[in-house]
């Protein structure tokens, strides 16, 4: 779909950053993944995203990522928007993956700031500009300085929005919440800004955010989607209550590096096998026991 489609109205709400489930031998567990997508859609999630941070993209080969894209598009079957994570530390790979997302008919590509390279703002501009110019598919920038070591500055985003008609928004996983106001100020309040920080999902909506890509939605899709729905309905007090109800689990899922805790919890819920690819590791016995206690308190097990 091109940027001419009404993506500004469709790409809103809880767009779930899916885990990538694996079998015991480390191969892709397609059956469980398809079941997770069905559960997400049945639970009211507004969109599906794959191969973001929660999906362990750096542990997948480029061919595995492309197959994951194909499975995602086939499983969703147009029922909700799909945002495919196409970013990479390798510029050529990001170009290839973004073109694949366009070919498959994704609603948007989520393109992360290249990690490890620590590019300058000019380098980031040229990277994203080249990707955007190579396709017609809408592009959502992905700013997560805690993982990449570099902050995509609001002025650079504004420059990209000005020069690339298909750059439509940003997933902000920046704990400096002042950045969000600066992004809106620089890019305009029509820019689609999503929260990638679980404790900032509600505050982002209060500033006019388009929604959130929250790892917590892997466990509690109905509640995370409802947070957006309540704000849209003007039920601010109920939304604030729900925000605080989710605090404990939002924090627990980041006691260790994402998606280790998320996958451990999904395994305890019987949704997937407890497998991550090295160099990540699942939480140990003590941490798993603490996570089990949180799941129990929410009635998830």
């Amino acid at each position: 779909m091109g940027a001419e489609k009404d993506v500004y109205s469709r790409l809103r709400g809880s767009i779930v950053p899916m885990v990538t489930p694996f079998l015991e031998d480390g191969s892709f567990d397609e059956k469980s993944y398809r079941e997770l997508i069905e559960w997400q859609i049945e639970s009211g999630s507004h969109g599906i995203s794959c191969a973001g941070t929660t999906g362990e993209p750096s542990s997948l080969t480029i061919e595995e990522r492309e197959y994951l894209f194909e499975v995602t598009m086939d499983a969703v079957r147009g029922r909700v928007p799909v945002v495919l994570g196409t970013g990479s530390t390798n510029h050529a790979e990001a170009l290839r993956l973004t073109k694949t997302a366009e070919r498959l008919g994704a609603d948007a590509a989520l393109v992360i700031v290249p990690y490890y390279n620590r590019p300058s703002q000019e380098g980031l501009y040229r990277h994203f500009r080249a990707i955007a110019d190579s396709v017609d598919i809408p592009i959502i920038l992905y700013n997560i300085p805690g993982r990449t070591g570099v902050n995509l500055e609001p002025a650079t985003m504004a420059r990209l929005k000005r020069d690339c008609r298909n750059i439509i928004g940003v997933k902000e996983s920046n704990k400096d919440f002042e950045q969000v106001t600066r992004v809106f100020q620089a890019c305009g309040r029509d820019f689609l800004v999503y929260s990638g920080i679980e404790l900032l999902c509600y505050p982002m909506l209060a500033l006019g955010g388009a929604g959130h890509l929250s790892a917590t939605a892997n466990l509690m899709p109905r509640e995370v989607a409802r947070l957006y729905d309540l704000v849209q309905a003007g039920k601010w007090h109920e939304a604030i209550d729900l925000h605080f109800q989710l605090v404990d689990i939002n924090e627990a899922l980041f006691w260790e590096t994402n998606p280790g805790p998320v996958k451990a919890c999904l395994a305890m819920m019987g949704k997937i096998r407890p497998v991550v690819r090295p160099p990540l590791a699942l939480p140990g016995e003590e941490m798993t026991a603490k996570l089990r206690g949180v799941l129990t308190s929410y009635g998830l097990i």
Side-chain angles (χ1 to χ4, degrees):
M1 296 181 182
E4 70 274 12
K5 299 293 183 182
D6 191 16
V7 293
Y8 284 90
S9 62
R10 292 192 72 225
L11 288 172
R12 292 181 177 272
S14 175
I15 301 173
V16 184
M18 301 289 293
V19 299
T20 304
F22 300 122
L23 298 170
E24 284 80 0
D25 64 1
S27 61
F28 175 44
D29 183 357
E30 182 176 334
K31 179 177 182 294
S32 293
Y33 183 68
R34 288 178 178 273
E35 290 171 353
L36 287 175
I37 287 177
E38 287 303 313
W39 179 51
Q40 288 291 338
I41 294 174
E42 290 168 3
S43 299
S45 293
H46 304 104
I48 297 292
S49 180
C50 73
T53 303
T54 307
E56 299 174 70
S58 60
S59 297
L60 302 172
T61 66
I62 191 167
E63 291 79 15
E64 285 177 319
R65 288 179 71 176
E66 289 178 324
Y67 185 67
L68 180 65
F69 292 174
E70 292 175 8
V71 172
T72 303
M73 296 302 298
D74 181 67
V76 172
R77 301 192 308 278
R79 290 173 289 172
V80 296
V82 174
V83 178
L84 299 178
T86 65
S88 172
T89 192
N90 181 290
H91 180 72
E93 283 188 4
L95 281 167
R96 170 176 162 175
L97 289 167
T98 306
K99 290 177 181 178
T100 299
E102 178 177 51
R103 175 176 58 81
L104 293 174
D107 293 87
L110 179 69
V111 187
I112 194 170
V113 168
Y115 35 94
Y116 184 76
N117 296 329
R118 297 179 68 89
S120 66
Q121 294 300 304
E122 180 63 26
L124 290 173
Y125 172 82
R126 295 182 185 185
H127 172 72
F128 287 117
R129 174 74 188 266
I131 292 171
D133 285 349
S134 73
V135 294
D136 288 326
I137 189 174
I139 302 292
I140 299 171
L141 308 170
Y142 182 8
N143 188 32
I144 180 167
R147 291 266 192 165
T148 65
V150 175
N151 184 51
L152 183 59
E153 297 294 337
T156 305
M157 292 189 215
R159 188 180 171 199
L160 285 164
K161 184 196 175 192
R162 181 196 68 204
D163 295 342
C164 308
R165 64 176 181 80
N166 55 334
I167 290 182
I168 63 169
V170 62
K171 176 185 176 183
E172 270 291 355
S173 296
N174 190 333
K175 291 190 174 182
D176 177 8
F177 198 56
E178 292 181 3
Q179 164 113 352
V180 176
T181 294
R182 295 191 181 107
V183 169
F184 278 124
Q185 192 73 4
C187 297
R189 289 165 63 185
D190 62 333
F191 202 54
L192 299 177
V193 183
Y194 307 86
S195 178
I197 300 288
E198 279 60 28
L199 290 179
L200 297 181
C201 289
Y202 172 80
M204 185 78 81
L205 294 172
L207 284 178
H212 33 263
L213 288 93
S214 168
T216 306
N218 281 280
L219 310 183
M220 302 181 70
R222 195 173 306 279
E223 290 79 4
V224 176
R226 180 166 168 73
L227 182 66
Y228 176 83
D229 292 336
L230 287 171
V231 168
Q232 287 301 108
K235 298 179 179 179
W236 292 95
H237 291 294
E238 290 181 49
I240 293 171
D241 288 344
L242 180 54
H243 165 76
F244 282 107
Q245 289 168 21
L246 293 172
V247 165
D248 288 346
I249 195 162
N250 282 338
E251 292 189 321
L253 295 183
F254 292 86
W255 284 340
E256 291 188 4
T257 302
N258 182 43
V262 176
K263 280 194 155 182
C265 289
L266 281 170
M268 284 185 267
M269 293 168 64
K271 298 288 187 183
I272 65 170
R273 293 165 176 81
V275 182
V276 293
R277 283 185 176 176
L280 294 180
L282 291 167
E285 290 184 14
E286 183 178 346
M287 181 63 71
T288 299
K290 289 176 63 179
L291 289 168
R292 185 177 292 110
V294 173
L295 293 180
T296 301
S297 72
Y298 281 90
L300 296 175
I301 57 173

